[in-house]
């Protein structure tokens, strides 16, 4: 059984085309700006769903996917449930449905490796390139995330690089430049997405009785986003503000 938090039909922000987005329960990171804090706990208010049920939903929505769309697994952190997801991924492959995994890349084991091999596209969230600042932002090291990126490159697995721009936390010119230099020779990066920081999930913290840690951090201005886009673009192609 798979622990599912929620679904989004006809999604257009998490991978190419129109997609069924499955938000899974459980995460190994503790990102200060997390928009889905209710997905962090391994159980939360999630429901256990049989793989066949998710397959049925994907097959039913397949006519809307077109040539580029498919199913995206987000969260939470999908690789947190890698073992449970493997049978579903195999069934989705047999049904000819494009599979996308949105991951922080911070979990690694044989099940995760097999899961990413079955995926058609990986959305890799690199929270910060500087490890000390990454720890401040997520309470975890970025070492495994960078190793996961190297594995994707070495195994010819297409991926998108995603970077949330947060003033005072990840919007440092020197860190973006270091990230650009690190990834500029990668051939499997199909797209770079700069994700603007937002406070849309703050009400969830209040409802859960939690203290939101980034009070006072302002959303990005259009000028800040454009400056970051140009900086990324100096190292990598196909850079977009999502």
């Amino acid at each position: 059984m798979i622990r599912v938090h929620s679904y989004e039909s006809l999604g257009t922000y998490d991978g190419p085309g129109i997609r069924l987005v499955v938000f899974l329960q459980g995460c190994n990171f503790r990102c200060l700006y997390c928009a889905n804090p209710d997905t962090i706990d391994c159980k939360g208010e999630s429901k256990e769903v049989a793989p066949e049920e998710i397959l049925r939903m994907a097959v039913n929505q397949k006519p809307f996917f077109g040539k580029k769309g498919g199913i995206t697994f987000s969260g939470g952190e999908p690789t947190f449930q890698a073992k449970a997801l493997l049978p579903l991924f195999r069934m989705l492959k047999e049904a000819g449905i494009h599979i996308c995994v949105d991951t922080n890349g911070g979990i690694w084991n044989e099940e995760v490796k097999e899961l990413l091999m079955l995926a058609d596209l990986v959305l890799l969230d690199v929270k910060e390139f500087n490890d000390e600042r990454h720890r401040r932002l997520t309470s975890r090291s970025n070492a495994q995330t960078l190793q996961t990126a190297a594995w994707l490159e070495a195994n010819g697995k297409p991926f998108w690089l995603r970077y949330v721009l947060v003033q005072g936390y990840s919007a440092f010119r020197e860190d973006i430049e270091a990230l650009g230099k690190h990834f500029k020779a990668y051939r499997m990066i199909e797209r770079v997405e700069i994700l603007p920081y937002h406070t849309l999930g703050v009400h969830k913290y209040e409802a859960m009785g939690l203290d939101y840690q980034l009070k006072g951090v302002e959303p990005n201005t259009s000028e800040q986003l454009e400056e970051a886009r140009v900086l990324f673009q100096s190292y990598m192609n196909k850079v977009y503000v999502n």
Side-chain angles (χ1 to χ4, degrees), residues 4-38:
V4 176
H5 175 270
S6 55
Y7 303 94
E8 178 187 356
S9 296
L10 307 180
T12 57
Y13 289 99
D14 298 294
I18 295 173
R19 313 191 70 81
L20 167 63
V21 185
V22 184
F23 294 95
L24 300 172
Q25 191 73 26
C27 188
N28 58 316
F29 275 22
R30 299 293 181 267
C31 300
L32 296 180
Y33 54 71
C34 181
N36 298 316
D38 43 343

Side-chain angles (χ1 to χ4, degrees), residues 21-241:
V21 185
V22 184
F23 294 95
L24 300 172
Q25 191 73 26
C27 188
N28 58 316
F29 275 22
R30 299 293 181 267
C31 300
L32 296 180
Y33 54 71
C34 181
N36 298 316
D38 43 343
T39 67
I40 294 175
D41 182 78
C42 63
K43 290 186 178 179
E45 297 182 0
S46 62
K47 294 181 179 179
E48 288 192 333
V49 180
E52 292 79 7
E53 174 64 15
I54 300 174
L55 175 67
R56 184 190 63 78
M57 291 178 64
V59 171
N60 287 346
Q61 295 185 29
K62 190 175 181 181
F64 300 101
F65 294 157
K67 293 181 178 179
K68 294 183 178 180
I71 188 169
T72 296
F73 293 90
S74 187
E77 169 54 42
T79 61
F80 197 83
Q81 299 189 60
K83 187 174 182 179
L85 287 171
L86 281 172
L88 173 59
F89 273 42
R90 296 187 190 108
M91 289 188 286
L92 288 167
K93 292 293 284 187
E94 289 180 7
I97 293 173
H98 184 278
I99 305 170
C100 187
V101 178
D102 183 6
T103 177
N104 61 41
I107 298 175
W108 194 254
N109 52 48
E110 286 302 311
E111 286 85 6
V112 172
K113 185 162 70 171
E114 186 176 352
L115 198 74
L116 297 184
M117 284 298 292
L118 288 168
D120 296 291
L121 177 68
V122 175
L123 309 183
L124 185 66
D125 300 298
V126 179
K127 312 294 185 178
E128 235 289 358
F129 191 74
N130 177 287
D131 191 49
E132 183 177 340
R133 286 174 174 154
H134 189 279
R135 289 175 184 272
R136 177 189 176 202
L137 193 58
T138 70
S139 297
R140 301 290 186 272
S141 170
N142 67 7
Q144 182 55 60
T145 300
L146 299 180
Q147 290 173 21
T148 299
W151 182 88
L152 294 170
E153 175 72 10
N155 286 274
K157 182 61 63 176
F159 69 103
W160 293 6
L161 194 65
R162 291 180 134 192
Y163 193 87
V164 180
L165 194 71
V166 188
Q167 299 303 310
Y169 288 84
S170 64
F172 299 102
R173 184 181 185 89
E174 63 270 25
D175 295 348
I176 295 174
E177 288 178 339
L179 184 151
K181 291 174 183 176
H182 180 86
F183 285 112
K184 67 179 181 180
Y186 274 52
R187 297 166 298 163
M188 300 313 299
I189 297 177
E190 294 186 341
R191 178 184 175 104
V192 178
E193 290 192 334
I194 300 169
L195 308 182
Y197 165 72
H198 62 74
T199 57
L200 298 178
V202 171
H203 69 281
K204 295 183 180 180
Y205 288 83
E206 296 170 353
M208 295 172 68
L210 300 174
D211 185 32
Y212 185 64
Q213 298 293 310
L214 297 187
K215 290 176 182 175
V217 176
E218 296 293 326
N220 315 109
T221 65
S222 56
E223 290 79 12
Q224 289 167 342
L225 290 168
E226 178 60 15
E227 181 181 353
R229 189 194 66 79
V230 171
L231 190 55
F232 272 100
Q233 190 81 50
S234 65
Y235 295 97
M236 293 178 281
N237 298 320
K238 298 182 179 178
V239 180
Y240 302 89
V241 175

